[in-house]
Amino acid sequence: MLTWTPFELHTAQPFGIARWTHSAYERVRVDWSLDGVTGRGEAAPNAFYGETGATVPAALERLMGAAGDPWEFRTLAGRLDAALGHHPSAKCALEMAAVEVCALLVGRPVRDLLGLPGGEVPESSLTIGLASLSEMAAQAQAAVARGHGILKVKLGTPQDEAILAALRDVAPEVTLRVDANAAWSLSRARRMLDVLADYRVELLEQPLPAGDLAGHAALRRSARLPIIADESLHSVASVPALAEAFDGVNLKLAKLGGPVQGLRALELARLHGLEVMVGCMIESSLGIAAAAMLAPLCDWVDLDSPLLLAAEPVSGLEWKAGRLQLPPGPGWGVAWAE
Ligand SMILES: [Mg+2]
């Protein structure tokens, strides 16, 4: 039996990127019960990819009728795509629930069901969202004091140089990554390349608008740091076209349609010579547990959402400073507090 339940997440501080600032997020949990176990999935809709908390329930009603047998999880995405067009976070929740049902029925973690390695997860970056200069600097300083070694700073403002200077001031040794969230022009991005080098930035995520692959390819030719696609990657099928324009891709299950689709995108990216980051929306530790399964196969990890939340309904995902520990338990290995 399939059911869905809406819930809300709140970030501890308003979370800002170039397009918006929010502190409340509408999410939906999917439960798939079979033979005494219940698999769970999370829909983390993002308006940029055409979904909201208001559209997911209606999408789920349509998709649930097409879901079929959870053991046929490798062909689930095809059935869901035939039932409804692009609605990736709703499909992600269903695919997550399907694979967890099967993993729970055999008493193993989902990663075992899918044949994925366990072990060490690369340290996750912690995101410093857009806020006032002094708030961003204070957040960076606090993160370093808590033991974080990698910060990802949101840019895409008229004061990007000042933000980098302020962060380097308080965190001179930290590994710094930049995400412009598609907010720069090509000329602005070209000028920023030298600034990024001056501040020893490790990688640059999505400098230009999502559809501007030619611009990204041109920028990449003069860049000395890796350029990573995020907004430009909106489905598994969009991966091959990114290989000329980018050095790597940021995979998020909520935009790809679930953990099996995330794995397909990862393998496709590797076949096309792309490096891989696994990232997230603002989502609970349930969604993060699913993404974390891919993390041992990735070059970069950006799964910090649980660290940004004021509180959350999910427990069982442990962190050691910036390092996520893969839960040992069956299924996703996390518990939902009722
Ligand atoms: Mg991004």
Side-chain angles (χ1 to χ4, degrees):
M1 189 183 66
L2 277 158
T3 57
W4 56 268
T5 312
F7 67 102
E8 211 169 80
L9 294 173
H10 297 265
T11 48
Q13 281 148 338
F15 183 67
I17 72 167
R19 284 188 295 276
W20 46 254
T21 298
H22 296 308
S23 52
Y25 298 81
E26 290 179 281
R27 300 299 180 237
V28 180
R29 190 187 83 208
V30 166
D31 291 323
W32 194 331
S33 299
L34 182 73
D35 296 340
V37 302
T38 300
R40 301 150 304 166
E42 178 171 353
N46 187 310
F48 186 83
Y49 303 102
E51 297 179 283
T52 67
T55 66
V56 166
L60 283 171
E61 290 296 338
R62 289 269 299 276
L63 294 167
M64 283 174 171
D69 180 351
W71 282 105
E72 294 179 8
F73 59 77
R74 285 206 176 273
T75 51
L76 173 60
R79 292 191 294 282
L80 299 182
D81 289 346
L84 183 66
H86 199 68
H87 224 103
S89 83
K91 293 173 181 175
C92 173
L94 276 165
E95 198 182 69
M96 275 183 69
V99 291
E100 192 183 33
V101 168
C102 299
L104 291 173
L105 286 170
V106 296
R108 303 293 292 267
V110 176
R111 63 177 177 276
D112 289 356
L113 185 76
L114 300 183
L116 298 173
E120 277 284 280
V121 171
E123 181 177 345
S124 175
S125 49
L126 181 75
T127 305
I128 305 296
L130 287 174
S132 72
L133 266 185
S134 58
E135 279 172 65
M136 292 178 77
Q139 284 182 29
Q141 196 162 26
V144 171
R146 288 197 305 275
H148 288 278
I150 309 173
L151 301 181
K152 178 162 120 177
V153 59
K154 295 293 193 182
L155 293 183
T157 77
Q159 56 168 2
D160 287 345
E161 292 90 339
I163 292 172
L164 287 172
L167 260 59
R168 264 293 172 239
D169 225 22
V170 297
E173 301 304 328
V174 85
T175 295
L176 210 50
R177 300 172 182 167
V178 161
D179 186 354
N181 283 112
W184 288 344
S185 64
L186 181 56
S187 58
R188 170 77 164 139
R190 282 192 202 282
R191 286 196 304 277
M192 285 301 290
L193 288 180
D194 287 334
V195 178
L196 300 179
D198 286 347
Y199 290 105
R200 292 171 284 120
V201 170
E202 183 193 33
L203 61 83
L204 171 61
E205 192 173 312
Q206 198 69 42
L208 309 177
D212 190 5
L213 300 190
H216 281 103
L219 187 66
R220 184 186 175 199
R221 284 192 286 275
S222 44
R224 283 163 290 162
L225 80 179
I227 300 180
I228 312 303
D230 184 1
E231 283 87 340
S232 292
L233 189 159
H234 46 78
S235 64
V236 177
S238 69
V239 170
L242 304 176
E244 293 301 311
F246 294 91
D247 299 283
V249 288
N250 185 348
L251 305 181
K252 299 176 181 173
L253 304 190
K255 65 183 183 181
L256 291 168
V260 179
Q261 305 319 303
L263 182 57
R264 290 176 69 197
L266 193 158
E267 290 173 339
L268 196 52
R270 293 296 189 198
L271 282 171
H272 286 270
L274 288 157
E275 297 189 82
V276 178
M277 174 186 292
V278 58
C280 60
M281 307 298 182
I282 296 294
E283 50 196 294
S284 80
S285 287
L286 176 60
I288 298 303
M293 184 180 73
L294 300 180
L297 301 172
C298 294
D299 304 294
W300 306 291
V301 174
D302 181 28
L303 295 178
D304 62 344
S305 166
L307 305 176
L308 305 175
L309 295 175
E312 69 155 318
V314 183
S315 61
L317 200 58
E318 305 298 331
W319 292 78
K320 287 183 183 160
R323 216 171 267 277
L324 244 174
Q325 313 293 305
L326 292 180
W332 297 124
V334 296
W336 195 283
E338 293 306 332

